[in-house]
Amino acid sequence: MDKLIKDILKQAPAIKVNGSLWLESDGTHFFGPGPVELLEGIAETGSISEAAKKMRMSYKKAWELVNTLNAQSVNPVVIPRTGGEKGGGSTLTDEALELIKYHRLLRQRFATFLAEETEKLKK
Amino acid sequence: MDKLIKDILKQAPAIKVNGSLWLESDGTHFFGPGPVELLEGIAETGSISEAAKKMRMSYKKAWELVNTLNAQSVNPVVIPRTGGEKGGGSTLTDEALELIKYHRLLRQRFATFLAEETEKLKK
């Protein structure tokens, strides 16, 4: 008879099935949790540099992500506004908000999958 | 009306939802694809060093994985046999085979999840 995983592994009650998820195209990852968090930060603060700071991401890296996302989208998802009195005021397009929403739902479905798998381990 | 992801991203037809999966306990990852591939290699070759070589993993790293897996299991999953004429002959216990089987099924379910999510992107 098959042994159950919970009888094989010592710390079975504490074990979780976990994972990460991303979109990729031709093997290149994009649009994982990092870019999405950046978009959310820009939506919240209106500023690429503020959003980067919140994530402890370098300004350079944040710009790279924004440029990559814009390059991969039919229409730009972030409209950067540099300079000006307050030195910023970047806005997200509707497409960016749609991507954020999609990602949130995708992560919810993934969380459900992981929770179900974690439950199965205990049975 | 909501825009569809396939209308937002340029390379939508080539985009895949992909991810990775592992078991963790108290934040420590274990039993991801690496350890499982090692177990499968040991099952096949009867040798930790041969299994490590196939994966281009160092012998030291392979032993660390074996020791970690054994420590996390109620009973050892690998019975190492060092030395001897052929310098090896490590065997897997039934528990190890059960872990391999579990992992294979888990990955199949994950592959199904990813394929469904990838399909959703195109709609």
Side-chain angles (χ1 to χ4, degrees):
Chain A
M1 208 180 72
D2 289 358
K3 265 208 174 182
L4 300 170
I5 298 301
K6 75 176 174 64
D7 299 324
I8 295 175
L9 298 174
K10 270 183 195 163
Q11 307 189 328
I15 291 172
K16 282 182 192 173
V17 182
N18 208 344
S20 68
L21 218 58
W22 59 84
L23 301 195
E24 65 178 44
S25 176
D26 291 329
T28 306
H29 297 202
F30 71 98
F31 210 63
V36 174
E37 196 182 336
L38 183 67
L39 286 182
E40 288 173 329
I42 297 170
E44 203 185 308
T45 64
S47 154
I48 295 173
S49 68
E50 284 299 315
K53 209 179 286 171
K54 278 183 61 172
M55 293 173 69
R56 296 181 192 186
M57 178 183 277
S58 75
Y59 189 55
K60 182 169 172 291
K61 172 79 177 164
W63 266 97
E64 280 170 11
L65 284 182
V66 165
N67 286 334
T68 302
L69 281 169
N70 278 347
Q72 276 156 343
S73 307
V74 177
N75 299 309
V77 290
V78 180
I79 313 281
R81 201 157 302 157
T82 52
E85 268 183 24
K86 291 183 179 171
S90 298
T91 51
L92 298 191
T93 62
D94 287 348
E95 281 89 343
L97 301 177
E98 208 56 55
L99 284 178
I100 290 173
K101 196 171 106 187
Y102 163 73
H103 193 259
R104 194 172 291 147
L105 294 171
L106 174 65
R107 292 198 72 77
Q108 278 173 10
R109 293 191 293 264
F110 189 40
T112 302
F113 173 85
L114 293 173
E116 285 171 358
E117 288 296 339
T118 297
E119 269 313 298
K120 276 183 202 161
L121 271 184
K122 328 257 151 160
K123 280 177 191 158
Chain B
M1 210 180 68
D2 289 357
K3 265 209 178 185
L4 301 171
I5 298 301
K6 75 176 174 69
D7 298 324
I8 294 175
L9 298 173
K10 271 183 196 164
Q11 308 190 328
I15 291 172
K16 283 182 191 171
V17 181
N18 207 346
S20 68
L21 218 58
W22 59 85
L23 301 194
E24 65 178 45
S25 175
D26 291 328
T28 306
H29 296 203
F30 71 100
F31 210 63
V36 174
E37 197 183 335
L38 183 66
L39 287 182
E40 289 174 329
I42 297 169
E44 202 185 309
T45 64
S47 153
I48 295 174
S49 68
E50 285 299 315
K53 211 179 285 172
K54 279 182 61 172
M55 294 172 69
R56 295 176 193 193
M57 178 183 278
S58 75
Y59 189 55
K60 182 169 173 290
K61 172 77 177 166
W63 266 97
E64 281 171 11
L65 284 181
V66 165
N67 288 332
T68 302
L69 282 169
N70 278 347
Q72 276 157 344
S73 307
V74 177
N75 299 309
V77 290
V78 181
I79 315 281
R81 201 158 301 156
T82 52
E85 267 183 24
K86 292 185 179 168
S90 298
T91 51
L92 298 191
T93 62
D94 287 349
E95 281 89 343
L97 301 177
E98 209 55 57
L99 285 178
I100 291 174
K101 196 171 105 185
Y102 163 73
H103 193 260
R104 195 172 291 148
L105 294 171
L106 174 64
R107 293 199 71 77
Q108 279 173 11
R109 293 191 292 265
F110 189 40
T112 302
F113 173 85
L114 293 174
E116 285 171 359
E117 288 297 341
T118 297
E119 269 313 297
K120 275 183 202 160
L121 270 184
K122 328 258 152 162
K123 280 174 191 160

